Amino acid sequence: MKRRILIFCTLLAALGLTAFGVMNWNDQEAHRAEAASNEEIAMNEPVLGPKDKEIFTDFIYDVGPRFSPIKKTKVDGAKAVSDFLDADVVASMASVQSVGILLFENEKLTEVLESGTTAALTDRQLQLLRSFDYSTNFVVRADYRKKNGNTGILVSDYSTPHMTIVPENQAEYAQGKEVLMTYLKEESKEIWANVDPEKLQPAKLFFRVTEQGTVEVIRLDRTSGYPEVDEKMIQLISDLPGSWIPAKNAAGRPVGQELVVSFGLMGC
């Protein structure tokens, strides 16, 4: 009897080892199949070489005034700070604490030139605003009190709209802005082949459209971080085909206007 039990136990152990070996073999085969599949997928995927790598092309995002355009006729006719603020900001204001007018020059804010303490602009503020010429960049800073939407308690807030004075009719590329943007993008594609988006910076290229519709005073005010890219953009504006329709003032006379090509990454 003991001998039979011993034989039976031996058979069970042998069967267990066999089953384990089969399962282990199946598991190894599954891993081999998965590895082969992954290797096949990897082999079928295209390998991007230096000439095939994706070119960064989302770089030109605007051609126009430096900041939000405001017509000189509106600036000359302004009476209160509300003439420069968004309607929702004006609606939220309970009281005005101060109003300052600042110039934006050389890509920097100057000190407050004229200030006041009421919503109505002072005579000196009005005089300053009316002295601004076309393409002047300026900021109106309004500090005010408004009701908190949840508590109803008065809290302090401020608004700083950045604006550029433009003529009644702005300068236009005769072939249209869409054609201009397409030209700049297509003609600068190759120069962007080696650009690293991580190192790219927002750049500003200024130029002036004269009363005769010609382009002059091309200047780079802010680099993209890649000199070859900057030089290419300057060259493209200098050699721009087609013509410009000059800006006109309220009397219908041609006037000069400064425009900005913003390229690189999105920025201020």
Side-chain angles (χ1 to χ4, degrees):
M1 183 66 178
K2 290 182 180 180
R3 183 177 180 182
R4 289 180 181 178
I5 292 174
L6 182 60
I7 294 172
F8 181 71
C9 290
T10 301
L11 287 173
L12 284 178
L15 288 172
L17 289 172
T18 302
F20 176 76
V22 171
M23 291 173 63
N24 189 47
W25 181 83
N26 287 338
D27 190 47
Q28 290 177 354
E29 285 299 307
H31 281 299
R32 290 193 188 98
E34 182 180 358
S37 177
N38 290 338
E39 184 176 355
E40 183 179 354
I41 292 173
M43 291 178 65
N44 290 332
E45 288 182 350
V47 178
L48 298 179
K51 295 184 179 180
D52 302 319
K53 69 179 181 180
E54 183 180 355
I55 297 176
F56 182 73
T57 57
D58 187 21
F59 60 95
I60 298 173
Y61 53 86
D62 196 21
V63 177
R66 177 64 177 89
F67 296 118
S68 297
I70 182 170
K71 293 180 179 179
K72 183 164 176 54
T73 50
K74 183 174 181 179
V75 174
D76 291 345
K79 298 293 183 182
V81 67
S82 57
D83 292 318
F84 301 101
L85 304 178
D86 291 337
D88 57 341
V89 172
V90 175
S92 71
M93 296 169 64
S95 63
V96 173
Q97 295 176 298
S98 66
V99 175
I101 299 175
L102 307 85
L103 274 178
F104 192 93
E105 295 182 317
N106 301 318
E107 292 300 292
K108 294 180 181 179
L109 273 177
T110 64
E111 295 181 357
V112 176
L113 297 181
E114 293 294 344
S115 60
T117 56
T118 65
L121 298 173
T122 68
D123 289 341
R124 293 177 66 88
Q125 287 176 322
L126 293 174
Q127 184 179 2
L128 174 65
L129 287 168
R130 290 166 186 164
S131 71
F132 290 164
D133 201 354
Y134 298 116
S135 303
T136 298
N137 303 308
F138 70 102
V139 176
V140 174
R141 178 178 175 112
D143 290 87
Y144 59 92
R145 302 273 285 173
K146 69 175 184 179
K147 283 187 178 181
N148 182 287
N150 296 322
T151 65
I153 298 174
L154 288 176
V155 295
S156 296
D157 205 345
Y158 68 94
S159 179
T160 55
H162 289 52
M163 291 161 281
T164 300
I165 298 179
V166 299
E168 197 68 20
N169 295 294
Q170 296 190 62
E172 297 179 31
Y173 185 59
Q175 285 70 36
K177 185 174 180 178
E178 186 175 344
V179 172
L180 172 61
M181 298 287 284
T182 300
Y183 163 79
L184 294 175
K185 288 182 179 180
E186 292 299 320
E187 295 298 319
S188 59
K189 270 185 177 179
E190 290 185 8
I191 203 68
W192 293 89
N194 298 317
V195 166
D196 181 356
E198 296 294 325
K199 298 179 181 179
L200 194 62
Q201 303 170 23
K204 301 292 180 187
L205 178 63
F206 290 72
F207 65 97
R208 185 174 183 270
V209 178
T210 69
E211 294 87 340
Q212 293 75 37
T214 58
V215 173
E216 65 176 18
V217 195
I218 302 172
R219 61 185 177 88
L220 185 71
D221 200 80
R222 188 187 300 181
T223 178
S224 66
Y226 286 86
E228 64 274 20
V229 171
D230 299 339
E231 292 172 7
K232 181 65 175 180
M233 297 305 296
I234 292 173
Q235 179 252 315
L236 289 177
I237 291 296
S238 301
D239 301 337
L240 181 67
S243 59
W244 286 86
I245 301 171
K248 293 182 179 180
N249 62 17
R253 290 192 296 270
V255 293
Q257 182 184 4
E258 186 178 64
L259 296 175
V260 184
V261 179
S262 300
F263 62 100
L265 292 181
M266 183 64 77
C268 298

